[in-house]
Amino acid sequence: MTLSIISQDGTVFNYTNAVACVTCGEYEDDSGFGFMAYLNSDSENGIVVAEYDDEEKFNAVKSDFSKWLHENIDAVFEFPS
């Protein structure tokens, strides 16, 4: 399970083999904030791995995820509810 991320619904993505990139940001309709994973074979259809209504919570998770990418990528990152 190393190099994996786990979405809020429990789906596990192997970061090295399956994920081309993960993007995050505010939705265009201002309905909240989310993280999306794009699989290596599909750069147009993202899979939502986490969603937040609260900007403060989103920014905290974004900070934790960024830290994980830089320092702990050999471990599993699980997006909190």
Side-chain angles (χ1 to χ4, degrees), residues 19-33:
V19 178
C21 64
V22 175
T23 60
C24 54
E26 185 172 4
Y27 293 134
E28 290 180 9
D29 63 1
D30 296 329
S31 63
F33 306 85

Side-chain angles (χ1 to χ4, degrees), residues 28-48:
E28 290 180 9
D29 63 1
D30 296 329
S31 63
F33 306 85
F35 293 84
M36 295 185 75
Y38 295 87
L39 303 182
N40 283 332
S41 61
D42 187 359
S43 62
E44 292 188 18
N45 298 305
I47 300 165
V48 176

Side-chain angles (χ1 to χ4, degrees), residues 3 11 19 25 29 68 72 79:
L3 296 168
T11 303
V19 178
D29 63 1
W68 176 80
N72 300 314
F79 282 93

Side-chain angles (χ1 to χ4, degrees), residues 9-80:
D9 71 359
T11 303
V12 178
F13 297 92
N14 182 294
Y15 198 79
T16 55
N17 295 327
V19 178
C21 64
V22 175
T23 60
C24 54
E26 185 172 4
Y27 293 134
E28 290 180 9
D29 63 1
D30 296 329
S31 63
F33 306 85
F35 293 84
M36 295 185 75
Y38 295 87
L39 303 182
N40 283 332
S41 61
D42 187 359
S43 62
E44 292 188 18
N45 298 305
I47 300 165
V48 176
V49 294
E51 292 183 297
Y52 301 97
D53 295 332
D54 180 81
E55 185 174 8
E56 188 173 319
K57 174 73 173 179
F58 168 79
N59 285 329
V61 173
K62 182 179 176 182
S63 176
D64 290 346
F65 184 62
S66 180
K67 182 178 179 180
W68 176 80
L69 287 172
H70 287 96
E71 299 174 6
N72 300 314
I73 199 164
D74 59 335
V76 174
F77 185 87
E78 185 170 358
F79 282 93

